[in-house]
Amino acid sequence: MDARKQKNLKQLGLVAAALIVINFAGSYIFKRFDMTDDKRYTLSEASIKVIEEVKDPLYIDIFLGGDLPPEFKRLQNEIRQVLEEYQVYNSNITFNFVDPLAEEEDVQKNIQEMYALGFSPTNIDMTRKGKKSLIQIFPWAIANMGQKSVRIPLLVNNFMTNKDDNINKSVQLLEYNFSDAITKLAITSKKKIAVIKGNGEMPDKYMSDFLISLKEYYVLGEFNLDSVRGDKQRTLDNLERFDLAIIAKPTEAFTDEEKAVFDQYIMNGGKTLWMVDRVAADLDSLRNAQATTLAIPRDINLDDMFFKYGVRVNANLVQDLLSTPITVQSANGEVPVDWPFSPVVRSRENHPINKNINIVKLEFASQIDTLKNNIKKTVLLESSEQSKTVGIPAQISLYEFVNKINPSQFNKGNQTLGVLLEGKFTSVYENRMKPVKFRNILDKGKETKMIVIADGDIVNYKYANKKLLTEGIDPWLQQNYSNREFLLNCVNYLMDDEGLVKIRGKNVNLRFLDAKKVQEEYTTTQIVTIGLPLLILGLFGLVFTYLRKRAYAK
């Protein structure tokens, strides 16, 4: 064997040995590289923490299999990439793509089963070789662990947003949706929330969906402030056992003793979510022969407390051209009419709480002023630029906007409707006589957070015109409101469960082909994407063959 062959064999042996060493080391040392600009394939620390908590087999079925249009194929691929990342960190996770409409003889049966499971379909246009057809898909997944199951939405359908942007939003929310589902399945230790009663708060019937959603993360308890009439210190002690207090649309004034309980609860670091109506106005009050009502200020005796904390909920009503209609009875049945008192809010996406959510529906909302103090304030909800405020008292008529609406009058700009407050609050009773003498009264509070929303009906999102919405869809806007998602984000953030909130705010930017341009230049596109690579490959083969023959000819 000549020296050249020995050298080649030696090099081959070294390469083989190096590959074996690298492969062996790779089984113990794991590293993946995400080269995308937006780091879409890099899981957040919060997701990794959630994934690592899965101790039992977790099965995920994705009902987005089969032949799909390019944009949904891309969504399908992104789902696969995300779940493959999940599997890297926990082998207990298994996923499978399913096409529920694949078997023609079982299509109707499968569709009925999907409906029974609560999976609503989406109709999409599909174009092949210039021919359009309408197909039905079920953009959902279901996660199963033991005896527990969680539905997972995969497709966003945001108001006034085109198809490509909705797909992009859907991809942005994939990690959140799957991590959220795993959290619901794997959570063991739950924090506590007090749902405040005793001051005419909203009945549970109208906030049941929100409360049921909260139970998947937290322990809920009804807390009646009537107990403050007895042992006031014990009432405060009992309230402080809860991590958060939710106050939804109180209609009766708080006593000074009740305010003092809340004030000291906040001073000691308690979190609060306030959903309050500063004006007494309701659609039910319009159901009379004249179809009119008088909107008057509602005194719930919280103005001085909110003012001290840094906001003022004004006794007015916001009207917005971007609103959902209400129905009135006519000779031809129920017909929709414009109703600026029901604004639908498009998020500014300036905070993880309101990031990647659809429209939020309000009803008879008031405007909020933010005041200067040492508290950090973030506006979470605001009306559109085509808004105005109406002073109170004011007469409201069910028919006042029929053929009378004047867009030029809606020129007062964005009105603040919901605010996040963070910091160390000062007691409303600082330098004042205390209505209750608690132990260890604090005038300067501990670090905490609260959210004030100037509409109690924000939690009543399953109803429109006091009627239950079918599958939660507004029949006139054909939209699912994001009130639940927004309020859940509020609670998660207030409870310091910021991991899921931050995942929800993740940005992913997909680059889409111009479908119209591709259709117009279908033949050219085929030549460029298929013909040109084949031509280059053929030329390379000819050149390589020529050079090889030339080398051996010598």
Side-chain angles (χ1 to χ4, degrees):
M1 186 180 293
D2 58 28
R4 184 176 180 182
K5 286 185 178 181
Q6 287 182 345
K7 183 180 180 181
N8 288 340
L9 286 174
K10 185 178 180 181
Q11 289 177 342
L12 179 62
L14 289 173
V15 171
L19 290 174
I20 291 172
V21 170
I22 291 171
N23 188 54
F24 181 77
S27 63
Y28 292 94
I29 302 171
F30 169 74
K31 183 64 179 176
R32 292 166 71 94
F33 297 94
D34 186 353
M35 306 303 291
T36 57
D37 292 337
D38 47 25
K39 299 298 178 183
R40 75 181 66 166
Y41 304 123
T42 300
L43 296 181
S44 65
E45 290 297 325
S47 284
I48 295 172
K49 184 178 179 181
V50 168
I51 294 165
E52 290 175 343
E53 291 296 318
V54 177
K55 307 302 181 185
D56 301 314
L58 172 65
Y59 303 97
I60 303 174
D61 289 323
I62 304 103
F63 303 107
L64 208 60
D67 189 19
L68 298 170
E71 61 273 16
F72 285 91
K73 197 72 175 177
R74 183 171 269 184
L75 176 60
Q76 184 187 71
N77 292 335
E78 294 289 339
I79 293 170
R80 181 177 286 105
Q81 292 275 7
V82 168
L83 292 180
E84 285 175 351
E85 286 292 313
Y86 279 51
Q87 287 182 322
V88 166
Y89 290 97
N90 195 323
S91 59
N92 285 325
I93 298 174
T94 304
F95 69 91
N96 180 44
F97 281 86
V98 179
D99 183 1
L101 309 181
E103 302 296 333
E104 293 185 7
E105 61 273 15
D106 295 328
V107 166
Q108 291 304 318
K109 177 184 175 182
N110 290 343
I111 289 176
Q112 290 176 1
E113 289 180 356
M114 298 295 283
Y115 273 108
L117 290 170
F119 299 134
S120 55
T122 297
N123 295 321
I124 59 174
D125 293 322
M126 189 168 181
T127 304
R128 288 179 180 169
K129 296 183 180 181
K131 294 182 179 179
K132 288 187 176 181
S133 60
L134 188 68
I135 65 171
Q136 191 176 63
I137 63 171
F138 286 87
W140 292 85
I142 186 167
N144 300 283
M145 189 167 69
Q147 300 299 314
K148 298 170 69 176
S149 298
V150 175
R151 292 180 301 165
I152 306 170
L154 301 175
L155 181 64
V156 169
N157 183 25
N158 282 352
F159 183 59
M160 296 177 67
T161 305
N162 62 45
K163 180 174 60 178
D164 289 346
D165 286 341
N166 278 331
I167 293 291
N168 198 56
K169 289 286 186 184
S170 301
V171 172
Q172 289 181 352
L173 287 173
L174 286 179
E175 184 182 340
Y176 169 82
N177 287 333
F178 285 111
S179 294
D180 179 56
I182 295 172
T183 298
K184 293 174 183 176
L185 292 172
I187 193 169
T188 54
S189 178
K190 296 183 177 182
K191 296 180 181 179
K192 297 179 182 179
I193 295 177
V195 181
I196 303 300
K197 300 292 183 181
N199 291 80
E201 283 81 6
M202 178 170 287
D204 289 348
K205 168 187 175 181
Y206 295 111
M207 53 191 294
S208 58
D209 186 75
F210 176 53
L211 297 179
I212 291 170
S213 300
L214 284 178
K215 284 183 178 179
E216 296 181 297
Y217 307 90
Y218 308 106
V219 175
L220 303 186
E222 184 176 300
F223 193 93
N224 201 310
L225 282 179
D226 289 344
S227 58
V228 79
R229 298 169 188 168
D231 190 332
K232 300 173 178 58
Q233 181 64 56
R234 185 176 180 181
T235 301
L236 175 59
D237 293 341
N238 288 337
L239 183 59
E240 288 181 342
R241 295 177 183 175
F242 294 89
D243 302 282
L244 170 71
I246 294 177
I247 307 93
K249 197 178 179 177
T251 57
E252 300 171 10
F254 289 85
T255 65
D256 287 337
E257 290 82 5
E258 291 169 340
K259 279 171 55 179
V261 168
F262 270 122
D263 181 72
Q264 285 305 296
Y265 173 71
I266 293 167
M267 293 306 107
N268 281 283
K271 317 294 193 338
T272 49
L273 172 58
W274 301 89
M275 297 172 277
V276 298
D277 281 351
R278 190 62 181 81
V279 175
D282 196 274
L283 288 175
D284 281 342
S285 58
L286 292 169
R287 302 184 189 281
N288 54 55
Q290 294 75 33
T292 60
T293 188
L294 183 66
I296 58 175
R298 170 174 281 151
D299 182 16
I300 53 177
N301 194 28
L302 295 176
D303 289 353
D304 57 342
M305 189 164 75
F306 285 151
F307 190 91
K308 190 72 173 183
Y309 297 161
V311 293
R312 177 171 49 222
V313 182
N314 292 301
N316 58 22
L317 291 174
V318 174
Q319 291 185 355
D320 192 341
L321 282 184
L322 184 59
S323 55
T324 183
I326 61 171
T327 56
V328 297
Q329 197 67 35
S330 71
N332 299 320
E334 288 189 336
V335 295
V337 297
D338 291 323
W339 191 247
F341 287 115
S342 293
V344 290
V345 177
R346 298 185 69 188
S347 173
R348 290 172 54 189
E349 300 199 344
N350 60 317
H351 191 275
I353 289 177
N354 58 19
K355 195 75 174 289
N356 291 328
I357 63 171
N358 197 14
I359 53 176
V360 173
K361 175 185 176 294
L362 305 177
E363 186 176 296
F364 293 117
S366 297
Q367 177 253 342
I368 298 176
D369 289 331
T370 55
L371 310 172
K372 289 185 177 181
N373 61 5
N374 63 333
I375 299 299
K376 178 184 177 183
K377 305 172 188 70
T378 306
V379 175
L380 299 176
L381 294 172
E382 65 178 8
S383 63
S384 76
E385 291 185 354
Q386 293 179 294
S387 302
K388 66 175 184 177
T389 58
V390 177
I392 300 300
Q395 189 174 45
I396 298 174
S397 170
L398 195 62
Y399 300 99
E400 66 179 290
F401 299 106
V402 177
N403 301 323
K404 289 184 179 180
I405 200 161
N406 184 357
S408 63
Q409 295 179 352
F410 293 77
N411 58 0
K412 300 303 180 182
N414 308 108
Q415 305 296 318
T416 300
L417 306 171
V419 182
L420 165 67
L421 306 173
E422 301 174 275
K424 296 180 179 180
F425 295 91
T426 301
S427 171
V428 65
Y429 296 107
E430 181 190 35
N431 301 322
R432 292 171 58 185
M433 183 175 292
K434 311 300 195 269
V436 180
K437 294 183 178 180
F438 295 112
R439 295 190 309 266
N440 304 319
I441 291 180
L442 298 179
D443 283 340
K444 301 295 183 181
K446 302 175 182 177
E447 191 79 26
T448 190
K449 311 170 189 174
M450 74 169 63
I451 293 175
V452 180
I453 301 169
D455 178 29
D457 288 296
I458 187 173
V459 73
N460 181 19
Y461 50 82
K462 282 289 184 178
Y463 288 78
N465 298 328
K466 297 297 180 180
K467 297 178 182 178
L468 184 65
L469 296 174
T470 303
E471 297 182 1
I473 298 175
D474 186 307
W476 307 113
L477 298 182
Q478 287 298 304
Q479 288 289 312
N480 280 105
Y481 300 123
S482 276
N483 294 44
R484 174 173 53 188
E485 290 76 14
F486 173 77
L487 292 173
L488 285 177
N489 283 352
C490 287
V491 172
N492 287 338
Y493 186 81
L494 290 173
M495 297 284 268
D496 296 319
D497 295 336
E498 298 179 31
L500 285 175
V501 180
K502 289 179 179 177
I503 297 170
R504 189 179 185 91
K506 186 175 182 178
N507 284 318
V508 174
N509 295 311
L510 300 180
R511 276 77 175 178
F512 293 95
L513 291 175
D514 189 330
K516 183 178 179 181
K517 190 173 182 180
V518 169
Q519 185 176 343
E520 292 173 350
E521 302 178 10
Y522 187 76
T523 303
T524 305
T525 302
Q526 282 189 316
I527 293 172
V528 172
T529 58
I530 300 174
L532 188 58
L534 289 176
L535 178 61
I536 294 171
L537 184 62
L539 290 174
F540 176 79
L542 290 173
V543 172
F544 179 78
T545 302
Y546 170 76
L547 293 175
R548 189 168 180 271
K549 286 181 177 180
R550 184 178 175 184
Y552 280 100
K554 297 179 179 179

